[in-house]
Amino acid sequence: MRIDILTILPKLLESPFSISIMQRAQEKGHVEIYVHNIRDYATNKHKNVDDYQYGGGAGMVMSIEPIASLIEKLCEERTYDEIIYMTPDGEVLAQNHCNDLSLSKNLIILCGHYKGVDERIREKYITREISIGSYVLSGGELAAAVLVDAIVRLIPGVLNDETSALTDSFQDKLLSPPVYTRPPEFKGLKVPDVLLSGNTKEIEYWREEKALERTKERRPDLLEE
Ligand code: ADE
């Protein structure tokens, strides 16, 4: 998979992809991540990438031209499955979207700033608008990092234990059951006996029960879908 991220703050995206699982995924060749600075495509003297909004009002709007030339350049080089815009008014991201997107070959992710991008960018180029939750971030970069992480870890071979992505919370519309490691007792708090029993059937049953119990308690909406 190839992911091109378009941003005015490339520095914000340096560390999320340079350590741990995301770093290994790139080193092993599962994903290529390119961060492009939109400012490099600004043609005016001051390299401005934003402008006042028509109709007045506080807040700048990201200009069409630099973003359009960058997107058009990339689209001449290859075909993209989706051109995604990270925005609080997009569709709220869920595991099933990540599953679908993890099958993509090429993705563009545009990070918004200020009041957002000129609407015509959305009309002409954007194929999908994604929000990572009902709150507003200072920019789309951290949202893009969340999206990329959630997608890349699903690419086969990225996680060491191939089955572990399948047992994640949400993957089967259930939250994960509680987990424990050593010691078997901490300040009077004991690991449930069944987990120490070695009885794999019983353990599996216990985990399913706990997952269901936790989901009913915390996210009953998942069970209604
Ligand atoms: N940009 C600002 N807030 C955002 C959010 N919640 N999701 C996606 N992009 C954003």
Side-chain angles (χ1 to χ4, degrees):
M1 180 187 299
R2 174 186 169 115
I3 304 177
D4 291 275
I5 306 178
L6 285 42
T7 170
I8 57 166
L9 294 175
K11 239 182 148 37
L12 251 182
L13 289 168
E14 275 170 19
S15 74
F17 308 130
S18 64
I19 50 174
S20 186
I21 292 173
M22 293 303 120
Q23 178 191 25
R24 232 180 15 249
Q26 291 172 88
E27 285 171 359
K28 288 205 268 172
H30 295 298
V31 65
E32 293 169 60
I33 301 172
Y34 297 91
V35 177
H36 305 268
N37 191 345
I38 294 168
R39 209 172 290 280
D40 294 342
Y41 294 80
T43 48
N44 58 69
K45 201 168 74 194
H46 300 289
K47 294 264 170 203
N48 286 335
V49 288
D50 59 347
D51 209 339
Y52 296 101
Q53 54 175 315
Y54 278 124
M60 305 294 275
V61 175
M62 289 173 78
S63 307
I64 297 189
E65 294 92 343
I67 297 171
S69 21
L70 179 46
I71 291 178
E72 285 184 13
K73 178 183 105 89
L74 291 170
C75 289
E76 273 169 23
E77 293 164 357
R78 66 196 65 74
T79 308
Y80 285 89
D81 300 82
E82 299 277 8
I83 303 180
I84 301 167
Y85 175 48
M86 302 309 299
T87 174
D89 61 6
E91 187 179 11
V92 178
L93 185 65
Q95 190 64 43
N96 61 321
H97 307 133
C98 300
N99 295 347
D100 293 345
L101 288 169
S102 74
L103 303 172
S104 310
K105 195 160 164 1
N106 301 307
L107 291 174
I108 289 178
I109 304 177
L110 170 63
C111 307
H113 257 270
Y114 321 117
K115 282 275 165 200
V117 296
D118 187 299
E119 188 65 21
R120 291 165 290 179
I121 285 285
R122 298 168 77 157
E123 272 173 34
K124 186 161 172 60
Y125 300 106
I126 299 300
T127 60
R128 202 150 170 178
E129 305 192 325
I130 295 179
S131 159
I132 62 158
S134 305
Y135 43 84
V136 180
L137 301 166
S138 319
E141 285 75 13
L142 298 181
V146 167
L147 176 63
V148 170
D149 186 294
I151 293 172
V152 170
R153 62 190 294 285
L154 296 172
I155 300 172
V158 167
L159 294 185
N160 285 332
D161 180 356
E162 285 260 1
T163 62
S164 76
L166 296 174
T167 58
D168 285 339
S169 278
F170 302 112
Q171 205 51 275
D172 47 10
K173 301 212 168 190
L174 288 181
L175 301 182
S176 294
V179 292
Y180 299 86
T181 184
R182 287 187 295 181
E185 184 173 342
F186 173 74
K187 299 191 186 213
L189 297 171
K190 288 188 172 161
V191 174
D193 286 336
V194 59
L195 296 180
L196 308 174
S197 69
N199 185 332
T200 48
K201 265 246 139 42
E202 289 270 314
I203 292 171
E204 197 182 329
Y205 180 73
W206 181 88
R207 286 184 171 148
E208 280 168 17
E209 285 291 293
K210 287 289 166 188
L212 192 60
E213 195 177 298
R214 192 159 266 200
T215 312
K216 274 185 189 156
E217 224 171 78
R218 301 182 181 192
R219 292 293 306 274
D221 58 298
L222 294 176
L223 299 167
E224 283 156 21
E225 278 170 21

